Amino acid sequence: MMLSEIIDEIRNVLDEKDLLREEALKITREIVRLSGDSIKALHRGDIETAWERIEKVKEKIEMLNEKLLPHPDLYFTGYVQNAHQEFVEAVLFYSYLTGSGFPSPKELGVPESNYLLGIGDLIGELRRHFLLLLMENKIEEAQNVYETMSRIYEELMTLEYPKGLVNIRQKQDQARYIVERTLEDLTRAKLTKSLEEKLNKAIKM
């Protein structure tokens, strides 16, 4: 076989993969956008819109799996991993706020490692929810959110794997920082509330 013929075959394969990659990039961008829209809707308390966005993302995830699973070199890439993380984060946040059970990686159609990274990101969204509750002076509800964050962090810390398998260490470090800051905010809010109650009591005496 002539070298030029071999090159032509390789070119055909790579041209096909390049087109598939461009299509996958477009799908992953839609996944990230819709997942972000869902999270924003959840913070607004718009559960219905959040679910509509999640349903659309599920369709995109299925489409992505159908196109890329036969091509592991394209499927196990950073942009796909990032899209999966955003999707998992949105679904888990929705599940938490609605009190429904957390779906498994298999149910969501994502790799276990990407699911774990999404759990790490969930802690950040819970902190935002926590801060919104503090702003509304809902300290008991905020404390419940903090306790959930703490439990998730403790579960993440049970995982010890090399970076080449799953980069969970970075998520663990981020989670530790977020949980510590949240505890400080909660403690400060409780002390402030306690002081206000004592002052009000003293004024009424």
Side-chain angles (χ1 to χ4, degrees):
M1 192 173 188
M2 298 290 290
L3 184 58
S4 59
E5 294 174 329
I6 295 174
I7 293 295
D8 282 341
E9 286 187 358
I10 293 173
R11 181 182 294 108
N12 290 335
V13 171
L14 293 180
D15 283 346
E16 181 181 351
K17 280 187 177 292
D18 189 40
L19 289 173
L20 187 57
R21 176 181 173 277
E22 288 298 320
E23 190 174 356
L25 281 169
K26 183 178 180 181
I27 295 172
T28 55
R29 283 194 290 266
E30 282 294 294
I31 290 172
V32 170
R33 182 183 65 80
L34 290 168
S35 297
D37 288 347
S38 174
I39 289 172
K40 291 175 184 175
L42 288 169
H43 282 301
R44 295 194 307 269
D46 189 351
I47 302 298
E48 183 177 349
T49 297
W51 180 247
E52 289 175 358
R53 298 295 185 274
I54 287 173
E55 287 285 272
K56 289 181 181 178
V57 178
K58 287 181 177 180
E59 295 175 4
K60 301 289 183 182
I61 291 291
E62 291 177 3
M63 187 185 306
L64 193 66
N65 289 346
E66 182 180 344
K67 291 179 179 297
L68 293 191
L69 280 176
H71 303 271
D73 53 332
L74 295 178
Y75 186 72
F76 294 100
T77 53
Y79 56 89
V80 174
Q81 182 184 76
N82 183 59
H84 284 163
Q85 284 180 230
E86 295 291 329
F87 171 52
V88 170
E89 179 184 7
V91 172
L92 296 186
F93 189 41
Y94 174 89
S95 298
Y96 171 77
L97 290 182
T98 58
S100 53
F102 293 125
S104 67
K106 186 175 181 180
E107 289 174 309
L108 296 184
V110 303
E112 285 78 4
S113 57
N114 296 351
Y115 186 95
L116 283 179
L117 298 177
I119 293 177
D121 291 339
L122 172 65
I123 291 180
E125 292 308 327
L126 288 174
R127 173 168 171 76
R128 292 185 182 91
H129 182 54
F130 165 88
L131 291 174
L132 289 172
L133 290 172
L134 278 192
M135 290 173 62
E136 297 172 1
N137 203 32
K138 298 178 179 178
I139 295 180
E140 290 187 8
E141 291 182 41
Q143 180 166 338
N144 290 336
V145 176
Y146 163 74
E147 290 171 356
T148 298
M149 294 169 63
S150 184
R151 286 194 296 271
I152 294 172
Y153 167 70
E154 290 172 1
E155 291 292 338
L156 283 179
M157 291 306 295
T158 65
L159 302 169
E160 295 184 13
Y161 296 103
K163 184 177 180 180
L165 186 60
V166 55
N167 191 18
I168 194 64
R169 182 60 182 272
Q170 181 182 11
K171 297 297 181 182
Q172 290 169 333
D173 291 341
Q174 291 172 350
R176 180 187 299 111
Y177 175 71
I178 291 172
V179 170
E180 288 175 353
R181 283 184 60 198
T182 303
L183 178 58
E184 291 173 1
D185 292 335
L186 178 61
T187 302
R188 189 179 302 112
K190 293 176 76 171
L191 287 173
T192 300
K193 184 177 181 180
S194 176
L195 180 59
E196 288 176 350
E197 290 175 349
K198 289 179 180 178
L199 286 173
N200 289 333
K201 186 177 180 180
I203 291 171
K204 293 177 180 180
M205 289 179 65

